[in-house]
Amino acid sequence: MGDIAVTTTPKPAMRPARPEFSSGPCAKRPGWTPENLRAAVLGRSHRSKLGKARLKEAIDRTREVLEVPDDYLIGIVPGSDTGAVEMAMWSMLGARPVQLLAFESFGKDWVTDVTKQLKLPAEVLEAPYGQLPDLSKVRPDADLVFTWNGTTSGVRVPNADFISADREGIVICDATSAAFAQDLDWAKLDVVTFSWQKALGGEAAHGVLILGPRAVARLESYAPAWPLPKLFRMTKGGKVSLDIFEGATINTPSMLAVEDAVDALKWAASIGGLPEMKRRADSNLAALAAWVQRAPWAAFLAEDPATISNTSVCLKIIDPRVSGLSDAAQQDFIKKLSGLLEKEGVAYDIAGYRDAPAGLRIWCGATVEVSDVEALTPWLDWAFETVVAELQAA
């Protein structure tokens, strides 16, 4: 980063107290310290009575805070949210026609899995970054795989009205950046997945897989034609292995990560549970939206206001001095802008996802304080003007 850039915009006086705005792993909950994990079950088997009890506690607290229906099963699985989604797809798809919604990077990954790896003749409903596919084309007779909130596009479905209550297929919902921040319509979702590293600010590597009664019925009535790796097997003797959803795990989990998730869930419950988690995320988005209205150079990547994410908020640059550059030059601009903010210690890891259009991605989930979002926005203006000045001086 050159130091010769000239800008008339002064450095802001206030700095975010916590500059962690990464979209995963996300900011730890307010007040977090490693001391919070001192009760972790370490040096003991995860299958010991104590280890299983802590895993069961994580499951029970998830049900309480996320308001998961009593007849849905909750399991802790390997491979983060990706592992949870792939377990569901490999185990359940193939019994019916398949549709996939693809409007950001991870939704496109599920398309690759289904069409290239499982080789199923799926119908893909696509949309460019910033938009949703035509949801009216979702069929009740087909299985559906979709992301509720596009982590890399900042676009979410506003509700589940496009899913038929009388559907014949099952619905697999990747809710990793929607859980604990947005209303999930459980009656319309048969499989829901997320990871602790998003809205809970937990540690990575583990996913949470939630199965409704219709998903359980599919597992017990259908066996896919392809072989299933051990990590994906959820049935034994034609029945769902319930111990997976009661504190046992398919492979060895990190009990330190489990303790961190329990700590985050305790915090979530202490502040008011899901309603307060959603309110905090909404407040963070509102603070950023108020700034976007004032900023002449930035806009939401999401084109429809009803679809703007309140967690992984994605911004595009609309100033012609930057938007008129080549894609590579725009990406270079973002790299310099985000690098400058990191150098100043005011925002870490806010460049857009590598496959997304050039822009910024700012996490606004509940573990982020609204005061930090408000303190960040003047720095965004300062960094933009600084890098534009450098661009023009070059």
Side-chain angles (χ1 to χ4, degrees), residues 131-151:
Q131 299 177 24
L132 284 175
D134 183 353
L135 300 181
S136 69
K137 293 183 177 178
V138 171
R139 296 159 38 194
D141 66 314
D143 292 338
L144 177 67
V145 182
F146 79 106
T147 52
W148 188 284
N149 182 97
T151 307

Side-chain angles (χ1 to χ4, degrees), residues 34 99 123 143 166 205 216 220 261 284 333:
Q99 289 186 307
E123 179 185 8
D143 292 338
D166 299 322
V216 171
E220 294 183 343
N284 290 336
F333 184 91

Side-chain angles (χ1 to χ4, degrees), residues 6 27 38 77 96 144 163 226 252 269 383:
V6 178
R38 61 186 179 276
V77 301
R96 284 188 165 273
L144 177 67
I163 301 172
W226 44 82
T252 307

Side-chain angles (χ1 to χ4, degrees), residues 73-157:
L73 304 177
I74 303 173
I76 297 168
V77 301
S80 191
D81 177 66
T82 299
V85 174
E86 291 186 331
M87 281 179 71
M89 293 194 300
W90 256 252
S91 299
M92 300 182 203
L93 296 184
R96 284 188 165 273
V98 181
Q99 289 186 307
L100 300 104
L101 304 185
F103 55 95
E104 53 92 44
S105 298
F106 291 100
K108 293 177 180 179
D109 286 342
W110 312 145
V111 170
T112 298
D113 280 353
V114 173
T115 62
K116 304 295 185 184
Q117 303 301 320
L118 297 180
K119 302 185 186 304
L120 293 174
E123 179 185 8
V124 180
L125 304 177
E126 292 188 83
Y129 280 87
Q131 299 177 24
L132 284 175
D134 183 353
L135 300 181
S136 69
K137 293 183 177 178
V138 171
R139 296 159 38 194
D141 66 314
D143 292 338
L144 177 67
V145 182
F146 79 106
T147 52
W148 188 284
N149 182 97
T151 307
T152 65
S153 69
V155 173
R156 59 171 161 176
V157 296

Side-chain angles (χ1 to χ4, degrees), residues 210-264:
I210 304 176
L211 305 181
R214 300 175 80 257
V216 171
R218 172 66 63 85
L219 285 170
E220 294 183 343
S221 64
Y222 166 72
W226 44 82
L228 287 179
K230 177 182 177 181
L231 288 180
F232 288 3
R233 294 175 205 155
M234 291 182 278
T235 61
K236 188 173 184 179
K239 294 292 183 181
V240 167
S241 301
L242 292 177
D243 56 340
I244 297 173
F245 304 94
E246 295 173 351
T249 55
I250 296 174
N251 73 328
T252 307
S254 163
M255 296 306 294
L256 201 60
V258 170
E259 193 68 26
D260 193 56
V262 169
D263 173 74

Side-chain angles (χ1 to χ4, degrees), residues 250-283:
I250 296 174
N251 73 328
T252 307
S254 163
M255 296 306 294
L256 201 60
V258 170
E259 193 68 26
D260 193 56
V262 169
D263 173 74
L265 289 162
K266 285 180 179 178
W267 168 78
S270 74
I271 64 171
L274 185 59
E276 179 61 12
M277 294 281 278
K278 293 187 296 184
R279 188 203 66 76
R280 286 174 63 91
D282 287 343
S283 295

